[in-house]
Amino acid sequence: MEWFPVKLLTGSFNRCGRDWGKNQGCFINPFCRLYLITKGGAHVLIGEREHELRSGNAYFLPGNLPSRNRCDDFMEVYWVHFAPQSLWLEYFLDRYKEVHVWPLDRLRFWKPVYSLLKEFPLPENSPGNYRLQSFFLFLLSDLLEEKPPEDDTPLLLRLKNALLFMDREYLRNPPLSVLAAKAGMAPNYFHRKFKEVFPGFTPHSYMETKRMRDAKALLATGHSLKETAEMTGYANVFYFSRSFKKVFRKSPSQARKEINS
Amino acid sequence: MEWFPVKLLTGSFNRCGRDWGKNQGCFINPFCRLYLITKGGAHVLIGEREHELRSGNAYFLPGNLPSRNRCDDFMEVYWVHFAPQSLWLEYFLDRYKEVHVWPLDRLRFWKPVYSLLKEFPLPENSPGNYRLQSFFLFLLSDLLEEKPPEDDTPLLLRLKNALLFMDREYLRNPPLSVLAAKAGMAPNYFHRKFKEVFPGFTPHSYMETKRMRDAKALLATGHSLKETAEMTGYANVFYFSRSFKKVFRKSPSQARKEINS
């Protein structure tokens, strides 16, 4: 059972003008972005630094950082917003706070592939969608190569097996003792170390959040509350709704209404 | 929740001599193969046709067909055996009975990537492993493009939603009524059509087989019977063992002994 490590959320090709980002101001952007700029340019604030985006380059912009977009003239851009699907990659991308640049020239093999972003989203299991996923794996491999997570994080290395296990098994909500054993740690110690690496989360609240993100996607594609609860590992709609509220601060039915409106 | 569509089972780079395939004779090869031949050549029987494998070409050889290998001189080859992880791709590759050829020249962009097969298996989440997966998605997209499954299979198009759903949800063993609804069919009709498309399987025996394949992999990586049963959706070790025996004709403990010996 292997996962494709990222989820491509939205994408397209656009010509942005001076109004780009004007209404948004500075905000915490929750997803990672890939911009491939064919003409013009713009400026993006990521964290505390402003970056110039220039035609002829591709940019990986990390998520979960304060950001602001500004365009003084115009920019023609292929773009995708994406989110890691695996805990391991999530951790890796969370640590990756810089902007990565590829000259488009170095990506020319991929030009017919990223041009497909004009038709995003492509049908599941279509050749085009496979090519787009292939492209993403290739770009991610560049990021990983540039900044291998092993280098400065002996703790992460020890947690790695447990993290990979949680990525696969979060729907089943494995007990703390099983997770800790994967990392070769005592349960309490594992719990503490996990909180150090993922501030704001415990192992179980992390897996719960992942289940609830799945639930949100299922609700958005028309599944009933009962079906969604079952598919995310809850035998009982009541417990499911309670978890959902805890994570999203609204009930599943409210969330569905908002999605459908 | 998206899956990586294939599992890379084994791979390497080898120089084969005249003894290649001699002891195997003709047998049903259960997995798909990719051969990238850098020197020499060989012959492979696939189904009823013998194919010459020549240096300077890459070959996709479909699985589940009678096959025989023969080498009159020598062959230097990067190779991988792989299996589809998704029902949809499994169906697609099952219908794909021909040999697909790529001139290596057309894959020259990928040379540093397939050269990594010398180090197979690569660590999970390593840049090399991402690149190898990227390469596979790219090759699969070529196969899909050459032979789009939609073309001659209106039945498959109708089953598609149910198949994709089963790929995701087989661990949860969704009821027939839910599966049939995904295909917009009445349960009995769906059951009959599924058997037509996947001879030897019912929707539930298919999902059971997938769960048991997962179970086998979990046992092989040192999980206990109880853990494995839980992780493959069985609350009860007895029912789990019964399913396992049905699929593999041996008990989980026997299977584990064989794996460890």
Side-chain angles (χ1 to χ4, degrees), chain B residues 1 12 20 39 65 69 72 85 124 131 135 165:
Chain B
M1 296 182 277
S12 194
W20 187 59
K39 275 188 193 161
L65 288 169
N69 303 332
D72 296 332
Q85 285 203 108
E124 234 183 311
R131 291 211 171 104
F135 179 48
F165 184 79

Side-chain angles (χ1 to χ4, degrees), chain B residues 199-249:
Chain B
F201 285 111
T202 65
H204 281 99
S205 73
Y206 199 98
M207 292 192 290
E208 184 177 43
T209 303
K210 280 180 82 73
R211 287 194 298 273
M212 291 305 123
R213 283 186 204 160
D214 289 350
K216 213 174 178 181
L218 287 167
L219 289 172
T221 51
H223 290 276
S224 75
L225 234 68
K226 190 159 172 291
E227 276 174 356
T228 305
E230 272 173 22
M231 281 187 236
T232 43
Y234 290 78
N236 183 309
V237 177
F238 172 75
Y239 290 117
F240 167 71
S241 296
R242 200 171 65 177
S243 269
F244 194 94
K245 263 187 220 160
K246 204 165 106 195
V247 170
F248 294 120
R249 294 177 201 289

Side-chain angles (χ1 to χ4, degrees), chain B residues 18-59:
Chain B
R18 295 184 187 192
D19 53 343
W20 187 59
K22 272 249 165 92
N23 297 329
Q24 286 179 304
C26 185
F27 69 110
I28 304 266
N29 197 330
F31 32 74
C32 301
R33 292 178 278 174
L34 177 73
Y35 286 177
L36 303 116
I37 301 168
T38 53
K39 275 188 193 161
H43 289 83
V44 173
L45 179 87
I46 299 285
E48 300 180 346
R49 245 189 85 194
E50 195 171 72
H51 300 267
E52 196 183 338
L53 308 182
R54 282 181 214 168
S55 150
N57 282 329
Y59 298 88

Side-chain angles (χ1 to χ4, degrees), chain A residues 131 142 172 182 223 231, chain B residues 131 142 172 223 231:
Chain A
R131 292 212 170 105
D142 278 355
R172 274 186 257 294
K182 294 279 157 198
H223 290 276
M231 280 186 234
Chain B
R131 291 211 171 104
D142 279 355
R172 274 187 257 290
H223 290 276
M231 281 187 236

Side-chain angles (χ1 to χ4, degrees), chain A residues 93-112:
Chain A
L93 291 177
D94 257 5
R95 281 173 57 250
Y96 199 106
K97 307 234 178 272
E98 290 114 81
V99 167
H100 186 95
V101 190
W102 294 266
L104 278 186
D105 196 44
R106 268 202 52 217
L107 302 180
R108 62 178 176 278
F109 173 81
W110 295 104
K111 182 148 200 273

Side-chain angles (χ1 to χ4, degrees), chain B residues 88 91 95 149-164 179-180 182-186 188-199:
Chain B
W88 171 260
Y91 174 77
R95 283 171 58 249
E150 278 79 3
D151 271 8
D152 57 336
T153 52
L155 176 58
L156 185 64
L157 254 189
R158 295 187 58 196
L159 291 178
K160 182 172 178 177
N161 279 333
L163 298 183
L164 293 173
L179 302 178
K182 293 280 159 198
M185 294 176 180
N188 286 344
Y189 185 77
F190 171 73
H191 196 263
R192 203 162 68 236
K193 288 297 158 189
F194 185 93
K195 290 202 295 184
E196 269 175 48
V197 174
F198 299 96

